[in-house]
Amino acid sequence: MIAAVCGNRPDETSIAIVDGESGKTVRTLPAAPEGVLFTECAWSGDRIFAAGVSVHGSAIYTADLTEEGAVP
């Protein structure tokens, strides 16, 4: 499985979980907070970390994949 930043619209991004063999999206995580665009992400254990930028600065966001609906 691969985690990748996905551009939903010009002003909205999210993280997509992609099957590395087929290239198909398995799951899309909720969109970044309003006004924030994800730029890159990294997978570590059961968590995905994403760098996000906005007109107010930057931050690191995290998603825990152990919650219901997580990727197998």
Side-chain angles (χ1 to χ4, degrees), residues 19-47:
D19 181 303
E21 290 185 22
S22 70
K24 294 185 180 190
T25 300
V26 175
R27 179 177 175 204
T28 302
L29 302 180
E34 187 174 340
V36 174
L37 294 176
F38 290 145
T39 58
E40 38 189 315
C41 59
W43 201 323
S44 178
D46 291 334
R47 304 188 97 162

Side-chain angles (χ1 to χ4, degrees), residues 41-61:
C41 59
W43 201 323
S44 178
D46 291 334
R47 304 188 97 162
I48 293 177
F49 296 88
V53 296
S54 74
V55 296
H56 303 291
S58 61
I60 302 293
Y61 296 85

